[in-house]
Amino acid sequence: MFLAIRELFYFKLRYMMVALIIFLLSFLVLFVSGLAQGLADDNASSIINMGEEAEYFVIDEEAELQLTRSLITDTDQQTVDNVVEEAQILGIHQGTIQDETETITDVAKFFVDHNSALFPEVVEGERPTEQGEVLADLSIQEEGYSVGDEFQEDTTEEIFSISGFTNDQRYSHTPVLYMTEDDWLELSGRDELLASALVLPDTGDDVVNTLNSEMDEAEVVTIQDSLSGIPGYSEEQGSLWMMIIFLFIISAFVVAAFFYVITIQKLTQFGILKALGAKLSGLANTILIQVGLVTVVSAGAGIGATFLAATLLPADMPFMLPMNLVAILAGIFIFVAILGSLLSLYKVKKVDALEAIGGMEA
């Protein structure tokens, strides 16, 4: 430990350059991860935040996991009700609304039972209690809407008003509007509730298999599987996480190259230490401590810089970086850095004391 820290201070410029590269890589990894999480939340937060009461969806087999294209038949809905008492109706319809200035805003219109746990918490205003009222996601305020404002809905061309706001309720990059039962019936043009999907709790594999065998035109899928049916969700997440994986691979090669070069420059010193009786484990600990300290400090600075950059982003740029993800990514980054340093350890193991003292490269 003493030798490792003393060398870090003695060759400050050399290790500061390494730390700068690791800082930039960690910042890039965390920033791209924040964008990936932010886009996922902006695309599907209304589904992701349904909570423990939502483990499975019953959707139309021909919908290809797209909830907006799904329609549950009365027969299949009755089958589900006979097997699962806690099944909840979920209605989804995408469209537009228009305010008094004729500004058009894309929205997703949702229906869930207002008395169920699926209905989101009100953070401003009140729950919709009368026909013509909706609960809207806070993000719609960016379009100039506030509690009490009215708009025209595109399907029925009726006038609605916003009774209150909820948070983290977005679908396909649009704010969600939660409608009353009467409004949903009018929107669907039916006397009975139209279900885009049925939401099931964790019912167990036996119940899932039973439903899949008894339903005619529907199937049971997990909530996570249904996310891939949201337009653009899989493509966005796949591209961003592929970038993150490659950044980790690049980080391993960069750290390995830097510390390998530094190790080559110190072969004579390592040879002398071996000749004096230093054990390989002690020399390995020196390298690992140096790699660990430089990586931890650099990654810590990268975390701080990422959160600082997040405060400077425009409001319409989705960015979310929960602390548990930060801890996981930082841990992976440190592991990758230590893994990259193994090449240096191999070089130290192979060095011959006599050759190194004589100035010859092992």
Side-chain angles (χ1 to χ4, degrees):
M1 172 71 79
F2 173 76
L3 179 61
I5 296 177
R6 185 173 181 180
E7 185 178 355
L8 288 176
F9 281 102
Y10 188 80
F11 295 106
K12 293 186 290 292
L13 181 60
R14 176 187 299 174
Y15 286 102
M16 283 177 62
M17 292 178 62
V18 178
L20 177 62
I21 297 298
I22 297 177
F23 160 75
L24 293 174
L25 287 170
S26 64
F27 171 77
L28 191 55
V29 167
L30 290 166
F31 192 80
V32 175
S33 300
L35 289 177
Q37 287 293 113
L39 284 170
D41 185 74
D42 191 66
N43 210 348
S45 58
S46 57
I47 303 299
I48 296 173
N49 296 330
M50 282 186 171
E52 298 178 355
E53 294 78 12
E55 291 290 334
Y56 298 98
F57 278 154
V58 176
I59 65 174
D60 188 349
E61 286 182 329
E62 297 182 357
E64 297 179 351
L65 299 179
Q66 294 190 34
L67 295 175
T68 53
R69 294 171 52 184
S70 174
L71 178 62
I72 305 301
T73 63
D74 295 336
T75 302
D76 285 337
Q77 187 169 334
Q78 186 61 50
T79 300
V80 174
D81 290 337
N82 292 337
V83 177
V84 183
E85 296 181 357
E86 302 88 354
Q88 296 286 339
I89 289 177
L90 170 64
I92 300 178
H93 178 74
Q94 288 187 284
T96 61
I97 60 174
Q98 182 175 296
D99 63 12
E100 57 184 9
T101 65
E102 298 186 355
T103 300
I104 297 176
T105 303
D106 292 322
V107 297
K109 289 160 273 190
F110 272 42
F111 169 77
V112 295
D113 186 351
H114 288 202
N115 297 318
S116 73
L118 299 178
F119 195 79
E121 180 182 355
V122 179
V123 297
E124 184 180 338
E126 300 177 350
R127 282 188 172 209
T129 56
E130 300 178 358
Q131 188 173 359
E133 293 182 340
V134 299
L135 180 69
D137 182 70
L138 274 172
S139 61
I140 204 173
Q141 292 181 347
E142 298 173 9
E143 304 297 330
Y145 288 95
S146 58
V147 173
D149 285 354
E150 296 183 341
F151 60 84
Q152 184 182 48
E153 189 266 332
D154 65 325
T155 303
T156 62
E157 297 185 350
E158 296 291 332
I159 302 299
F160 289 80
S161 65
I162 298 176
S163 66
F165 289 106
T166 184
N167 197 19
D168 287 334
Q169 296 295 320
R170 305 264 300 173
Y171 185 83
S172 192
H173 299 304
T174 60
V176 171
L177 306 180
Y178 283 89
M179 309 182 75
T180 63
E181 182 174 330
D182 291 336
D183 287 323
W184 187 254
L185 287 171
E186 185 175 349
L187 181 69
S188 59
R190 293 181 49 169
D191 296 330
E192 297 180 357
L193 289 173
L194 182 67
S196 302
L198 297 175
V199 186
L200 308 181
D202 189 1
T203 56
D205 293 338
D206 291 339
V207 173
V208 170
N209 293 333
T210 299
L211 289 175
N212 282 329
S213 62
E214 294 184 0
M215 291 187 298
D216 297 327
E217 301 177 31
E219 62 178 343
V220 181
V221 299
T222 65
I223 295 294
Q224 192 62 39
D225 288 339
S226 71
L227 296 180
S228 62
I230 300 176
Y233 184 88
S234 298
E235 292 79 5
E236 288 176 355
Q237 295 301 300
S239 299
L240 289 170
W241 283 105
M242 184 63 69
M243 290 174 58
I244 293 170
I245 292 173
F246 274 108
L247 283 172
F248 275 122
I249 295 174
I250 292 170
S251 300
F253 278 106
V254 169
V255 173
F258 269 104
F259 279 97
Y260 183 76
V261 171
I262 292 174
T263 301
I264 291 294
Q265 295 173 343
K266 298 187 298 182
L267 285 182
T268 301
Q269 291 93 320
F270 283 126
I272 293 173
L273 290 172
K274 274 192 170 183
L276 293 174
K279 295 183 179 180
L280 177 62
S281 59
L283 300 178
N285 285 336
T286 298
I287 294 176
L288 291 177
I289 290 172
Q290 290 175 346
V291 174
L293 286 175
V294 172
T295 304
V296 168
V297 172
S298 301
I303 293 172
T306 302
F307 283 110
L308 177 61
T311 62
L312 304 177
L313 293 175
D316 58 350
M317 179 176 291
F319 186 91
M320 186 176 68
L321 195 60
M323 290 307 299
N324 60 339
L325 179 62
V326 171
I328 292 172
L329 292 174
I332 294 175
F333 201 88
I334 293 171
F335 172 77
V336 166
I338 293 176
L339 186 66
S341 68
L342 295 181
L343 184 61
S344 299
L345 297 181
Y346 177 78
K347 189 66 177 178
V348 172
K349 179 182 177 181
K350 290 296 183 180
V351 67
D352 183 84
L354 294 178
E355 290 181 349
I357 293 173
M360 298 176 61
E361 186 176 322

